[in-house]
């Protein structure tokens, strides 16, 4: 495609092209099962709820799933069975979250200007929350949903409290975390080259000195980590349906 044609194609869109990258290659060790994303939640696998929400989001154009090799065919089949309409790629993830997300980023459409990284294990995310976060990233290049921390947090070492941070400054960050495509790729490559392990993608961007802006999250946008989270998620879904 010529540079002129690429420019014309971009100008025809009223918004930036955004690819959703789903991190789905984890080991589920704290859940005590082989793959928590395939556990039933309201009669559907956990990851299907995540996929359906992303599929319904107006500002997402395609989906790339970073999975374990053993789950590639399963995820592809689930996309067919549950009628995911957006283009989907299922690729082999890496041994760390950073590597998995970077692999997915590199497999996204080259025209993607924004990349929205979503935990496969956050099945209660809504299309509205996704779209709200993408819109924020369109303006500020890096945005993530978050909710204020309710509990008092202690910083401790060897079981002894060293510090009590001001709760007003603390937020629990969720996904999707949405970034300028070039910014995220550079940040992840930098972290991998330095051998730095991170717990989320905002940390990679923060590490290279870029600001991340927080948007309104949701208390319902929980992450499925331990068995009790399935029970909580079922309760939330029941409440939504009532």
């Amino acid at each position: 495609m010529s540079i002129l044609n690429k420019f014309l194609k971009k100008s025809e869109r009223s918004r930036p092209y955004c690819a959703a990258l789903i991190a789905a290659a984890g080991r589920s060790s704290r859940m005590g099962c082989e793959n928590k994303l395939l556990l039933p939640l309201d009669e559907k696998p956990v990851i299907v709820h995540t996929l359906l929400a992303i599929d319904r989001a107006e500002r997402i154009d395609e989906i790339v799933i970073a999975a374990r090799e053993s789950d590639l065919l399963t995820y592809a089949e689930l996309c067919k069975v549950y009628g995911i309409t957006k283009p989907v790629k299922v690729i082999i993830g890496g041994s760390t979250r950073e590597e998995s997300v970077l692999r997915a980023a590199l497999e996204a459409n080259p025209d993607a200007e924004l990349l929205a990284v979503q935990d496969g294990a956050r099945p209660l995310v809504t299309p509205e929350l996704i779209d709200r976060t993408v819109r924020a990233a369109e303006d500020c290049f890096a945005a993530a949903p978050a909710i204020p921390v309710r509990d008092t947090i202690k910083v401790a070492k060897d079981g002894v409290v060293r510090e009590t941070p001001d709760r007003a400054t603390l937020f629990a960050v969720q996904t999707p975390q949405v970034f300028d495509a070039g910014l995220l790729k550079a940040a992840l490559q930098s972290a991998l080259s330095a051998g730095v392990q991170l717990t989320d993608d905002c940390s990679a961007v923060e590490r290279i000195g870029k600001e991340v802006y927080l948007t309104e999250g949701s208390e319902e946008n929980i992450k499925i980590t331990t068995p009790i989270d399935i029970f909580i998620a079922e309760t939330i879904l029941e409440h939504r349906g009532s």
Side-chain angles (χ1 to χ4, degrees), residues 1 5-18 61 109-114:
M1 182 183 293
N5 286 338
K6 288 185 72 173
F7 173 78
L8 291 173
K9 184 178 178 181
K10 178 179 176 180
S11 66
E12 290 171 359
R13 297 197 301 267
S14 59
R15 56 174 179 77
Y17 187 104
C18 182
D61 298 285
N109 190 315
D111 289 335
E113 298 169 67
L114 295 174

Side-chain angles (χ1 to χ4, degrees), residues 4-236:
L4 176 59
N5 286 338
K6 288 185 72 173
F7 173 78
L8 291 173
K9 184 178 178 181
K10 178 179 176 180
S11 66
E12 290 171 359
R13 297 197 301 267
S14 59
R15 56 174 179 77
Y17 187 104
C18 182
L21 315 179
I22 301 182
R27 291 187 293 271
S28 304
S29 56
R30 284 177 286 180
M31 181 61 76
C33 65
E34 179 64 24
N35 187 351
K36 64 185 178 183
L37 300 184
L38 297 178
L39 291 176
L41 174 62
D42 193 30
E43 300 182 352
K44 299 184 189 74
V46 166
I47 196 171
V48 168
H49 292 271
T50 309
L51 286 165
L52 289 172
I54 292 173
D55 197 47
R56 293 166 185 157
E58 295 180 356
R59 301 184 98 79
I60 298 295
D61 298 285
E62 70 168 330
I63 302 169
V64 184
I65 306 172
R68 297 182 300 183
E69 187 172 5
S70 59
D71 296 321
L72 294 178
L73 294 179
T74 299
Y75 290 160
E77 184 63 21
L78 287 173
C79 289
K80 293 179 182 178
V81 170
Y82 287 93
I84 301 303
T85 60
K86 289 183 167 70
V88 179
K89 284 185 180 180
V90 187
I91 61 124
I92 299 175
S95 59
T96 64
R97 180 188 177 87
E98 304 95 273
E99 187 178 353
S100 290
V101 174
L102 180 58
R103 287 187 182 187
L106 294 174
E107 288 291 336
N109 190 315
D111 289 335
E113 298 169 67
L114 295 174
L115 299 173
V117 186
Q118 172 66 25
D119 292 324
R122 287 190 188 270
L124 303 186
V125 68
T126 63
E128 294 77 17
L129 189 152
I130 295 168
D131 287 334
R132 182 167 66 242
T133 310
V134 174
R135 282 195 297 269
E138 290 171 6
D139 296 326
C140 65
F141 304 106
I147 58 174
V149 170
R150 289 182 174 182
D151 297 327
T152 297
I153 303 298
K154 301 290 185 181
V155 178
K157 185 176 182 180
D158 299 325
V160 178
V161 174
R162 304 298 183 186
E163 182 184 354
T164 303
D166 180 3
R167 188 171 59 188
T169 67
L170 301 176
F171 293 82
V173 180
Q174 305 173 337
T175 64
Q177 298 178 1
V178 190
F179 309 93
D180 171 83
L183 173 61
L184 179 62
K185 292 174 189 177
L188 291 172
Q189 287 170 337
S190 175
L192 284 168
S193 295
V196 177
Q197 291 193 359
L198 306 170
T199 56
D200 76 342
D201 304 286
C202 288
S203 299
V205 171
E206 295 160 27
R207 181 179 169 274
I208 62 172
K210 301 301 181 181
E211 293 181 326
V212 177
Y213 291 84
L214 298 183
T215 63
E216 181 184 356
S218 168
E219 291 185 352
E220 294 185 356
N221 187 20
I222 65 171
K223 186 175 182 181
I224 304 298
T225 303
T226 62
I228 195 172
D229 296 323
I230 289 286
F231 172 77
I232 294 171
E234 291 276 9
T235 303
I236 292 171

